[in-house]
Amino acid sequence: MRKLALHWKIIIGLVLGILWAVLSGFFGWSDFTTNWLAPWGRIFINLLKLIAIPLVLFSIIGGIVGLGDPKQLGRMGLRTLLLYLCTTIIAVSMGLLIVNIAKPGKWMDDDIRTENRIAYELWAQQEGQPVHDHKNYLDDAANETLIAEVAKRRGYDEDESVQSRLKLAKNQKESGPLTFIEDMVPSNVFMAMSDNGSMLKIIFFALFFGIALLYIPEKHSKPVIDVVSGLTEVFLKMVELIMQGAPFFVFALLAGLVSEMAEDDPAKVFELFKGLTWYSLAVLTGLLIMAFVIYPTIMKFFVKRLSYFGFLKGISPAQMLAFSTSSSAATLPVTLECVEDNLKVDPKVSSFVLPIGATVNMDGTSLYQAVAVVFLAQMHMIDLSFGQQITIILTATLASIGSAAIPSAGLVMLMIVLSSVGLNPAWIGIILPVDRILDMVRTVVNVTGDATVASVIGEVSEVDSEEVV
């Protein structure tokens, strides 16, 4: 076992965690799993989050100082943001293409879809929203009994988990056009580092601090730079030490997650996914194409020194960790290590590009949002026009910027996308049962996208350096 590569150990931990959860359901061990195993998974995520924020802070400062030339910093920043924007647009477009071809929402029983349509029209009537595609099932006398039944049912919008996200989405929707920029500037950097803070604020402070260091005399900046470099090394070593226990921590994390879903009845796990199989397959198809076709193709075009399997092997530990934690932020320390040590990207580049990517690059989340919106429309017998689907692309792309790099943050962004095309944001309750598993896969895509962009930027920066010489 000692000679086994870390990513294989993590995979074994993942599989054993799921098997333990299912077996604990059969034998009634759920309480033991919840009380004695699940906490270790949460401790693992907390340890990674503990390191993530200071590592982002010091690595960005160190990366900027390492660049030396402010002009080079501007070029790299522009290239980074443009490349992240391009991959996000590709991801959303891929999602729309797949969901329009597969039509997962139309595989459901027509009677159920009719009920869904009536529920949608009742909601639209209540909210004063125009009904899509000008169909009106409420005016059909044949549906009178069904309308009465649907009207009496408890809606998804009464669910507590949906309500809490509705409030967050409402706040985001009501924000002004410059709120995104306003939210980037912290009034207190220490508050920004708290649990309720924003990674964007930390990145802004790090960028501002690093740029300021470039403009002061070397005799004053050198002691600060030495401290920053030393602290970065300390936090990287902490990552290395934590990752020694990753296989066990991942086992505990998955055992707790699946056990929570199944309780003492393992059949519940399968029932949770049964009704949403086609939707899940559509999302997974898009995510796997992004991770194993689109990104390696970009790498092959720009970074010829890395083979297809060389790239995937190099980033695989970060992918496995992203799958188990569902958090780009928690995975960031390991992503930095993989990109620098395995993909051989200059630390000056990776320490600048990757922390930004963990915040603004949400390709997997954007793809899932596109599929989810059209799927929910299809299952409610709503035909979205080409213009409305373009709106989905724009809204999902913009909503992904600044989306929290934490589990299920995409659900809040999905509500904003649903609202942008006049659909009920409370419909996220329909896909909540399968969201956690899909969230794990889309985090893998987000992390793989970050590594791809960092490698491309690193390669382009090397070419620029050679031309200057």
Side-chain angles (χ1 to χ4, degrees):
M1 278 292 282
R2 288 183 178 179
K3 294 181 180 179
L4 210 58
L6 179 62
H7 64 275
W8 286 114
K9 292 180 182 178
I10 293 174
I11 290 173
I12 292 170
L14 286 170
V15 174
L16 290 178
I18 294 169
L19 287 175
W20 174 277
V22 174
L23 289 173
S24 71
F26 277 113
F27 295 109
W29 301 340
S30 292
D31 286 342
F32 174 83
T33 302
T34 301
N35 295 327
W36 294 95
L37 285 181
W40 291 104
R42 293 192 291 272
I43 288 169
F44 180 48
I45 292 178
N46 287 340
L47 282 171
L48 290 170
K49 285 182 178 179
L50 171 71
I51 294 169
I53 288 178
L55 187 59
V56 166
L57 179 65
F58 296 122
S59 63
I60 288 180
I61 294 171
I64 290 171
V65 171
L67 290 172
D69 183 5
K71 290 182 180 177
Q72 188 180 350
L73 172 64
R75 284 196 301 271
M76 185 180 293
L78 184 61
R79 285 170 176 170
T80 299
L81 292 175
L82 284 175
L83 196 48
Y84 279 140
L85 182 64
C86 288
T87 58
T88 301
I89 292 172
I90 291 171
V92 180
S93 303
M94 176 67 67
L96 286 177
L97 178 66
I98 289 170
V99 76
N100 279 290
I101 292 173
K103 295 181 171 55
K106 294 187 177 181
W107 285 80
M108 297 180 68
D109 184 79
D110 284 343
D111 291 338
I112 295 174
R113 292 180 68 212
T114 302
E115 290 183 23
N116 291 340
R117 174 70 191 209
I118 290 169
Y120 158 68
E121 291 187 14
L122 287 169
W123 169 83
Q125 189 180 71
Q126 184 181 14
E127 297 291 318
Q129 291 269 10
V131 174
H132 283 281
D133 54 40
H134 308 295
K135 298 173 185 174
N136 202 325
Y137 283 64
L138 296 182
D139 290 341
D140 191 339
N143 295 325
E144 189 174 340
T145 304
L146 186 58
I147 292 168
E149 288 178 7
V150 172
K152 289 179 183 177
R153 286 183 195 161
R154 180 174 182 264
Y156 286 106
D157 51 343
E158 294 177 26
D159 185 89
E160 288 181 10
S161 62
V162 176
Q163 278 288 349
S164 62
R165 290 182 171 94
L166 272 171
K167 290 177 183 176
L168 286 171
K170 186 178 179 183
N171 292 335
Q172 297 252 8
K173 190 180 176 185
E174 291 176 352
S175 59
L178 296 180
T179 301
F180 168 70
I181 298 174
E182 184 181 350
D183 288 344
M184 284 180 62
V185 184
S187 59
N188 187 322
V189 70
F190 298 104
M191 289 294 291
M193 292 181 192
S194 70
D195 287 340
N196 298 321
S198 164
M199 189 68 82
L200 276 176
K201 292 180 178 179
I202 295 165
I203 289 174
F204 175 86
F205 175 79
L207 290 170
F208 196 14
F209 191 94
I211 291 168
L213 275 176
L214 294 176
Y215 286 98
I216 63 175
E218 186 179 349
K219 65 177 182 178
H220 297 305
S221 64
K222 191 176 184 305
V224 179
I225 293 169
D226 290 340
V227 170
V228 168
S229 299
L231 287 170
T232 303
E233 289 301 316
V234 171
F235 284 113
L236 287 174
K237 177 55 70 174
M238 289 172 73
V239 173
E240 189 179 319
L241 293 173
I242 291 169
M243 289 306 293
Q244 296 301 314
F248 167 73
F249 285 130
V250 167
F251 162 77
L253 192 67
L254 265 292
L257 171 65
V258 179
S259 180
E260 183 184 339
M261 293 164 64
E263 298 173 343
D264 280 330
D265 182 5
K268 284 185 180 178
V269 176
F270 305 105
E271 285 299 319
L272 281 169
F273 302 106
K274 187 178 177 181
L276 295 167
T277 299
W278 290 107
Y279 159 71
S280 301
L281 287 174
V283 175
L284 288 172
T285 299
L287 293 175
L288 293 175
I289 289 173
M290 286 298 299
F292 299 106
V293 178
I294 301 296
Y295 293 138
T297 301
I298 293 172
M299 289 292 293
K300 189 168 182 60
F301 188 79
F302 287 100
V303 190
K304 294 181 171 60
R305 62 183 173 79
L306 283 171
S307 67
Y308 173 86
F309 291 106
F311 168 65
L312 292 179
K313 183 181 178 182
I315 197 63
S316 58
Q319 288 179 323
M320 292 301 107
L321 191 60
F323 182 81
S324 58
T325 63
S326 295
S327 172
S328 301
T331 311
L332 181 58
V334 180
T335 310
L336 279 162
E337 191 174 33
C338 289
V339 168
E340 291 171 9
D341 296 346
N342 301 340
L343 304 185
K344 307 302 179 185
V345 175
D346 191 334
K348 296 175 185 176
V349 175
S350 60
S351 61
F352 175 78
V353 176
L354 289 175
I356 294 174
T359 304
V360 304
N361 181 48
M362 299 288 166
D363 292 348
T365 304
S366 301
L367 185 148
Y368 132 84
Q369 287 169 351
V371 176
V373 171
V374 179
F375 164 74
L376 290 169
Q378 289 172 350
M379 68 176 289
H380 287 82
M381 289 187 165
I382 300 167
D383 294 321
L384 295 175
S385 66
F386 178 74
Q388 287 164 334
Q389 297 203 27
I390 292 296
T391 301
I392 292 172
I393 292 177
L394 294 173
T395 311
T397 301
L398 294 173
S400 68
I401 299 172
S403 176
I406 57 174
S408 296
L411 280 172
V412 176
M413 297 299 110
L414 176 58
M415 289 178 160
I416 296 172
V417 181
L418 282 165
S419 298
S420 72
V421 287
L423 300 178
N424 187 354
W427 286 350
I428 64 157
I430 298 170
I431 59 174
L432 272 176
V434 294
D435 182 72
R436 191 67 172 87
I437 296 297
L438 295 178
D439 191 24
M440 296 162 85
V441 182
R442 63 183 184 250
T443 306
V444 172
V445 173
N446 293 341
V447 168
T448 308
D450 294 345
T452 302
V453 172
S455 301
V456 172
I457 296 296
E459 199 73 6
V460 173
S461 298
E462 281 185 20
V463 172
D464 285 351
S465 301
E466 289 172 5
E467 288 177 355
V468 170
V469 174

